[in-house]
Amino acid sequence: MKNIWHYNKLLPAVPENSRLLLGEGNTPLIKAKTIGKMLGLTGLYFKLENLNPTGSYKDRFAAIFVSILKSRNQHLCLATSSGNTGAALAAYCAAAGINCTLAIVDGAPQSKIKQMQLYGAHTYMVKGFGKDAVVTEEVFGLLKRMARAMQIALPVSAFSYCDEGMKGVQTIAYEILEQENSFDHIFCPAGGGGLTLAVARGCIAYGECYPVKIPKVHCVQPEGNDTIAGALRNHRHQANAIAASTTLISGLQVPNVLDGDAVIASCTKLGGTGYIVNDQEVFKWQRLLAQQEGIFCEPAGAVALAGLANAVTGREVSAKDNIVCLVTGSGFKDMLSVDSNFGLPDLQSINISQLESNIRALQ
């Protein structure tokens, strides 16, 4: 079965005996069953990164990074995480026999933290980290100094920190461009911008090797963390740090610039733009993905679709365009968000006659 190492010529050099495999990559690209018609689109597709081994696209990052650690006989992985990166690193470190220690973003979902802990990671939540720009910079600074002193890389899922690991995320673009269909647009959610930059750079790198049509890559952010999308849309060259992230979309609460400037440059090169969506739009599309498409994603996984909906409203895509929205993480990652936002009823016990009556009412 094909996996991310299929693209080894476009990845960092890792000896075969150090390459970790947990089933990452080669995720389905499925055509929308209902939502495409709702939006008036004939060619809407979802890239199901929620089906990676630990439930998010970050497994591509972890597979490459931890394989590199293994090849260098490293025994410690020191990292930060809002949830998905930590879970992925913890899993791959467990498979490699490497100690994993994680500084966790303040308010990260408990379900993600428990996942990291079950893999055996040491987890420490830092007050204000990921919400306050000053605290966030201080945490990154501390961990960078410690990693440098220990002569290990700091695996933050951003090119500005860990270019090698992010090469693994570029395989998302390679898989999309390998499809029989050619695509006009790819919509990507963004916090610090690493994923969007990986997809854009992946498209550029693949296009340099193979004669394929290169789609426009768009950056979608929640309005409570608009560091990149607004600047991209308004043709500015630099992203903007904000004092504090106010979005409730877990995983996209990154008030610092990180890869923002490079995202703007790469998306502009490919003809993409930025989209800003509010949290309620995201929750709406999260529900519709589940109820209309059978796709259960965490809120961040619905951000790209929310951005596409705005593009449709603004007539910035054509009805006949082939479009990919990235679904980045599983809904099981953030069940607290489900409880908080959808008002689903508590399940009550009923007797068998009530069961029969309720079923008949549905016929």
Side-chain angles (χ1 to χ4, degrees):
M1 179 176 166
K2 189 185 294 185
N3 56 63
I4 63 172
W5 297 105
H6 169 76
Y7 307 102
N8 66 87
K9 292 181 181 179
L10 294 167
L11 294 172
V14 179
E16 282 195 42
N17 62 359
S18 294
R19 296 175 185 173
L20 294 166
L21 291 169
L22 292 180
E24 65 287 335
N26 197 32
T27 55
L29 182 66
I30 64 167
K31 190 170 185 179
K33 303 167 188 65
T34 303
I35 290 177
K37 294 176 184 176
M38 288 173 55
L39 293 173
L41 302 171
T42 60
L44 173 59
Y45 294 78
F46 300 112
K47 180 68 168 163
L48 300 186
E49 289 297 294
N50 56 315
L51 299 184
N52 277 297
T54 76
S56 85
Y57 79 90
K58 297 293 181 71
D59 289 340
R60 298 174 186 266
F61 172 88
I64 299 298
F65 181 79
V66 179
S67 293
I68 291 170
L69 289 187
K70 184 180 177 183
S71 73
R72 297 173 183 171
N73 295 313
Q74 295 281 4
H75 301 293
L76 174 66
C77 175
L78 178 66
T80 72
S81 181
S82 61
N84 289 338
T85 300
L89 287 170
Y92 284 83
C93 282
I98 294 172
N99 185 330
C100 185
T101 298
L102 301 165
I104 307 299
V105 165
D106 191 358
Q110 284 295 314
S111 52
K112 295 182 182 181
I113 295 170
K114 295 301 182 185
Q115 186 182 12
M116 300 174 215
Q117 292 171 334
L118 188 59
Y119 289 131
H122 304 284
T123 54
Y124 306 95
M125 185 176 288
V126 182
K127 186 176 182 179
F129 180 38
K131 295 180 178 178
D132 183 279
V134 174
V135 173
T136 302
E137 279 293 337
E138 289 176 348
V139 171
F140 278 129
L142 170 65
L143 295 178
K144 281 195 292 185
R145 291 192 299 273
M146 295 181 71
R148 194 179 304 120
M150 292 183 284
Q151 297 184 326
I152 59 176
L154 183 64
V156 176
S157 55
F159 283 90
S160 56
Y161 281 88
C162 191
D163 181 87
E164 288 180 316
M166 292 304 293
K167 290 288 201 309
V169 182
Q170 290 183 194
T171 59
I172 295 173
Y174 307 155
E175 291 174 10
I176 292 171
L177 295 179
E178 267 191 349
Q179 300 298 310
E180 194 171 303
N181 290 342
S182 61
F183 292 93
D184 301 286
H185 305 271
I186 303 176
F187 284 77
C188 305
L195 171 61
T196 306
L197 182 56
V199 172
R201 285 187 174 177
C203 287
I204 293 167
Y206 199 85
E208 290 172 349
C209 297
Y210 304 101
V212 296
K213 177 181 178 179
I214 303 300
K216 296 178 180 179
V217 175
H218 306 288
C219 174
V220 188
Q221 285 191 299
E223 63 183 8
N225 197 86
D226 176 22
T227 56
I228 306 167
L232 175 59
R233 173 160 285 275
N234 291 303
H235 308 291
R236 297 197 295 269
H237 300 297
Q238 291 184 313
N240 304 298
I242 56 177
S245 178
T246 58
T247 180
L248 299 176
I249 309 303
S250 172
L252 303 187
Q253 299 154 326
V254 186
N256 306 76
V257 169
L258 297 186
D259 286 335
D261 293 350
V263 170
I264 291 171
S266 295
C267 287
T268 299
K269 181 177 181 178
L270 295 177
T273 189
Y275 293 91
I276 304 164
V277 296
N278 66 53
D279 288 2
Q280 292 309 309
E281 289 177 272
V282 174
F283 297 135
K284 166 193 164 184
W285 289 109
Q286 181 189 14
R287 181 194 287 268
L288 286 170
L289 274 167
Q291 296 183 348
Q292 300 296 326
E293 301 289 342
I295 298 171
F296 184 34
C297 67
E298 64 178 327
V303 166
L305 179 56
L308 170 60
N310 286 355
V312 170
T313 300
R315 298 184 178 181
E316 295 178 346
V317 295
S318 167
K320 294 184 178 180
D321 285 346
N322 284 330
I323 301 167
V324 177
C325 285
L326 301 188
V327 178
T328 51
S330 169
F332 296 111
K333 293 280 197 171
D334 194 357
M335 292 302 295
L336 181 60
S337 175
V338 173
D339 293 339
S340 300
N341 293 297
F342 298 120
L344 301 178
D346 292 331
L347 191 61
Q348 303 294 328
S349 296
I350 59 175
N351 60 40
I352 192 167
S353 61
Q354 290 172 311
L355 174 62
E356 181 180 4
S357 175
N358 288 339
I359 292 173
R360 290 188 182 281
L362 296 173
Q363 292 179 329

